[in-house]
Amino acid sequence: NSSASQIGSGGGFDIVVTKLNATGTALIGSKKIGGSGDDGVNISTSRGGINSLQRNYGDDGRSEVILDGSGNVYVASCTQSTNFPATTGAFQTTFGGGVQDGVLLKLTPDLGTLTFASYLGGSANDAAYVLSLAPNGNIYVADALFNAVQIFDFNGNFLYTFGSQGQDAGQFWMPSGIYIDDKDFVYVSDTYNSRVQIFHVTTDARK
């Protein structure tokens, strides 16, 4: 039930999205979303050992929440649940493999309904760290392991992807930030290549 206060079986750590009014004095809505594994926790709850996706400060629970012009709420995060409540018809409805997958969520402005929820992942460890919205409403999500940017329309339908791991123009090594300006230019923070790359929404050609 996408309108219940808790979506999914829950268990371990879950993703919680809460919205307050402008003065912080009243609750507008709240959703707890998760499967039976750990959700919203990146690989491990601690920094012990070597982990494939923990490189920077805050990576232990890295995720992002943004709003569109209508107040809809978008969340990029991760899940270790093989039964995460992906919605019917979503881009990826089953767990990809590895320890965890990324997830992409969209909720209505009052958090009353989960509009869509999709896994984002393959057979290795994946995480969706950051996202941004283009002026036309398309959703850009940076994938920390595939080292690529995935693009979806505002309904969560997959459109295309660009980028791969490497050091050449148009390649990434741990993208950790993404922003789209009002001129349709896409800025990607390319962590281990120590640079910001700039693309255009219509061409995705490096500028």
Side-chain angles (χ1 to χ4, degrees):
N1 184 349
S2 65
S3 61
S5 60
Q6 176 172 321
I7 301 174
S9 63
F13 291 91
D14 292 321
I15 296 170
V16 176
V17 183
T18 299
K19 185 176 183 179
L20 304 176
N21 66 2
T23 59
T25 57
L27 177 69
I28 294 175
S30 187
K31 273 284 189 289
K32 181 181 178 183
I33 306 162
S36 56
D38 286 341
D39 307 294
V41 177
N42 189 14
I43 300 294
S44 172
T45 58
S46 69
R47 280 278 174 165
I50 299 173
N51 297 302
S52 61
L53 294 175
Q54 290 183 356
R55 299 288 201 277
N56 304 305
Y57 175 80
D59 282 356
D60 315 69
R62 187 175 296 279
S63 58
E64 188 158 30
V65 181
I66 61 174
L67 279 67
D68 65 19
S70 299
N72 295 297
V73 181
Y74 301 79
V75 180
S77 190
C78 54
T79 180
Q80 297 174 35
S81 298
T82 57
N83 61 343
F84 189 84
T87 51
T88 302
F91 163 62
Q92 183 179 338
T93 58
T94 57
F95 188 72
V99 175
Q100 74 178 27
D101 279 355
V103 289
L104 176 64
L105 317 173
K106 179 180 179 179
L107 300 105
T108 52
D110 62 356
L111 305 184
T113 301
L114 179 64
T115 306
F116 67 74
S118 179
Y119 284 104
L120 299 177
S123 59
N125 297 337
D126 302 291
Y129 280 169
V130 290
L131 73 162
S132 188
L133 298 178
N136 64 1
N138 286 345
I139 309 162
Y140 283 58
V141 184
D143 187 304
L145 186 72
F146 282 137
N147 294 290
V149 176
Q150 299 190 59
I151 298 92
F152 302 83
D153 68 18
F154 64 92
N155 289 316
N157 299 307
F158 176 75
L159 298 176
Y160 59 97
T161 186
F162 69 90
S164 61
Q165 183 171 349
Q167 298 177 314
D168 293 336
Q171 294 184 313
F172 309 112
W173 187 9
M174 189 67 74
S176 59
I178 187 167
Y179 173 74
I180 305 173
D181 67 19
D182 58 2
K183 304 297 184 183
D184 286 340
F185 284 98
V186 184
Y187 303 79
V188 181
S189 176
D190 189 8
T191 304
Y192 284 101
N193 286 324
S194 300
R195 62 188 179 185
V196 173
Q197 296 196 69
I198 305 173
F199 306 83
H200 196 269
V201 166
T202 56
T203 62
D204 294 323
R206 187 170 184 267
K207 301 297 181 182

